Amino acid sequence: MISPLEVFRTYIKEKGLRNTPERETIIREIFSVHDHFDVDELFLRMRDQKSKIAKASIYRAIPLLIESGLIKEAFFEDGHLHYEPIYGHSRHCHLRCICCGKVVEFVEEEMDNIVDRLAKEYHFNILDHRLDFTGYCAECNNKMNDQDNVDTKELL
Amino acid sequence: MISPLEVFRTYIKEKGLRNTPERETIIREIFSVHDHFDVDELFLRMRDQKSKIAKASIYRAIPLLIESGLIKEAFFEDGHLHYEPIYGHSRHCHLRCICCGKVVEFVEEEMDNIVDRLAKEYHFNILDHRLDFTGYCAECNNKMNDQDNVDTKELL
DNA sequence: ATTGTTATTGTAAATTAATTGCAATAAGAA
DNA sequence: TTCTTATTGCAATTAATTTACAATAACAAT
């Protein structure tokens, strides 16, 4: 499988841009963890590894990483955007606990059928979708119910 | 059916807060259109109607409107959050054209089944979900393909 | 290899969305 | 009508993101 770096180099060449060690460091850092991130977090992770890349360079790289298909916007939370790697990742959805912030990722097979059906029905060329669920995870739900003296064991 | 205003008044009373004409004006404006909005747009719409409500008051009202179940965050775009009325609206998903910005709303019946299945599988108390599709609408898709001299009539 | 063009970088300043401090006002209970 | 204090408008603040600019460095052409 082509590495994220190679994908990016190809994209850069196609666009007539220039590749830089800074951008490659950013990509390496993102794909060394394979998980959601935000700009500040990524900046700090890279600084921990002696990288002196400016935050502005991360902000400037992100549209290119999206355009080249390496990452995408995941969600807006805590006043800023969060991203996630998508290259080499199967399309997944999120289940997020609004109490503790825990995120469960899963692949929903049914989505392909829905996409096909919608594309036909609404004459759309559907390229992407975002499916996120929010609620309370079992732990938080139980914690709350213990406090409220409500019995909701049926959840577990 | 109970009006959005009544729902809000009940919520305010429950919480021991105070209702104000400003908040009622905001709610009336939102539910006079029944469509997505952002703070700035809402502010301008209200100013057009001689209302002198400060933008800060809109920002301060929004968490209450969400808490009371009248509206919810719809999506983050163009650098800021967009909201949509949900009270009196059936749960719907979005199909958004990334070219012209057109938004098609639809109700996806299958979602209830998916929610039930996920709740069991992951032991989550799922309260809400967000399902958005992005791509090109038929018109934009054809426009692009005309330019590219590519035949994709199969979409229509 | 060397050179020349110009995209990219780091820094700092600017911009924009959203929040907050504060004094004046007004909602709603007494 | 009075009192308490939540809410308002305004202005200042905070935080995320973008941008101006001079220095640097990619990379195509020599």
Side-chain angles (χ1 to χ4, degrees):
Chain A
M1 183 207 181
I2 302 164
S3 77
L5 246 65
E6 281 307 325
V7 170
F8 188 71
R9 287 182 190 132
T10 303
Y11 166 80
I12 285 293
K13 193 154 286 176
E14 261 175 14
K15 289 278 176 178
L17 301 173
R18 294 175 188 171
N19 199 8
T20 66
E22 286 82 1
R23 289 172 179 171
E24 300 218 339
T25 304
I26 291 167
I27 293 168
R28 250 187 248 104
E29 181 56 41
I30 291 171
F31 282 86
S32 76
V33 171
H34 284 284
D35 203 3
H36 301 91
F37 64 92
D38 57 52
V39 170
D40 198 60
E41 179 194 327
L42 187 61
F43 174 71
L44 294 175
R45 264 162 57 188
M46 290 173 58
R47 213 184 43 181
D48 285 348
Q49 300 176 27
K50 322 289 181 220
S51 168
K52 297 208 188 324
I53 294 171
K55 210 180 272 189
S57 295
I58 301 179
Y59 277 112
R60 281 188 282 229
I62 280 181
L64 303 177
L65 303 186
I66 292 176
E67 264 267 312
S68 61
L70 293 183
I71 68 171
K72 72 167 184 174
E73 288 182 9
F75 49 85
F76 182 86
E77 205 173 68
D78 300 323
H80 57 266
L81 277 165
H82 296 246
Y83 304 89
E84 66 183 0
I86 52 172
Y87 180 72
H89 292 239
S90 54
R91 283 203 177 180
H92 59 268
C93 312
H94 303 116
L95 199 47
R96 193 163 61 254
C97 179
I98 51 184
C99 176
C100 68
K102 175 167 45 192
V103 176
V104 176
E105 289 185 359
F106 62 93
V107 176
E108 175 52 52
E109 310 288 354
E110 186 62 30
M111 289 311 295
D112 289 341
N113 299 332
I114 295 179
V115 166
D116 287 347
R117 177 158 44 77
L118 292 173
K120 282 204 188 87
E121 186 169 351
Y122 296 102
H123 306 300
F124 252 72
N125 178 9
I126 297 178
L127 300 180
D128 192 22
H129 66 261
R130 179 175 303 188
L131 173 57
D132 293 323
F133 299 86
T134 46
Y136 293 97
C137 70
E139 288 75 27
C140 292
N141 206 64
N142 284 339
K143 238 177 275 169
M144 286 198 313
N145 289 333
D146 286 351
Q147 286 175 356
D148 298 351
N149 272 340
V150 174
D151 189 333
T152 47
K153 291 215 182 68
E154 73 270 9
L155 253 185
L156 280 175
Chain B
M1 183 208 182
I2 302 164
S3 77
L5 247 66
E6 282 306 326
V7 170
F8 188 70
R9 287 182 190 132
T10 303
Y11 166 80
I12 285 294
K13 193 153 286 177
E14 261 174 15
K15 288 278 176 176
L17 302 173
R18 293 176 188 169
N19 199 8
T20 66
E22 286 83 0
R23 289 172 178 170
E24 300 218 339
T25 303
I26 291 168
I27 293 167
R28 250 187 249 104
E29 181 57 42
I30 291 171
F31 282 85
S32 76
V33 171
H34 284 286
D35 204 1
H36 301 90
F37 64 92
D38 57 52
V39 170
D40 199 58
E41 179 194 327
L42 187 60
F43 174 71
L44 294 176
R45 263 161 58 188
M46 291 171 60
R47 213 184 43 180
D48 285 348
Q49 300 176 28
K50 321 286 181 222
S51 167
K52 297 207 189 323
I53 294 171
K55 211 180 272 187
S57 296
I58 301 179
Y59 277 113
R60 282 188 281 229
I62 281 180
L64 302 178
L65 302 186
I66 292 176
E67 265 268 312
S68 60
L70 294 183
I71 68 171
K72 73 167 185 174
E73 287 181 11
F75 49 84
F76 184 85
E77 205 173 69
D78 300 322
H80 58 266
L81 276 165
H82 296 247
Y83 304 89
E84 66 183 2
I86 51 172
Y87 181 72
H89 292 239
S90 54
R91 282 204 177 179
H92 58 268
C93 312
H94 303 115
L95 199 47
R96 194 163 60 253
C97 179
I98 51 184
C99 177
C100 67
K102 175 167 46 192
V103 176
V104 176
E105 290 186 357
F106 61 94
V107 176
E108 174 53 53
E109 310 287 355
E110 187 60 31
M111 289 311 295
D112 289 341
N113 300 331
I114 294 180
V115 167
D116 287 348
R117 176 158 43 78
L118 292 173
K120 282 207 187 85
E121 185 168 351
Y122 296 102
H123 307 300
F124 251 73
N125 178 10
I126 297 178
L127 300 180
D128 193 21
H129 66 261
R130 182 175 302 186
L131 174 56
D132 293 324
F133 299 86
T134 47
Y136 293 98
C137 70
E139 288 74 28
C140 292
N141 207 63
N142 284 339
K143 237 177 278 170
M144 286 199 312
N145 289 333
D146 286 350
Q147 287 175 355
D148 297 352
N149 272 342
V150 175
D151 189 333
T152 48
K153 292 216 181 65
E154 74 270 8
L155 254 184
L156 279 175

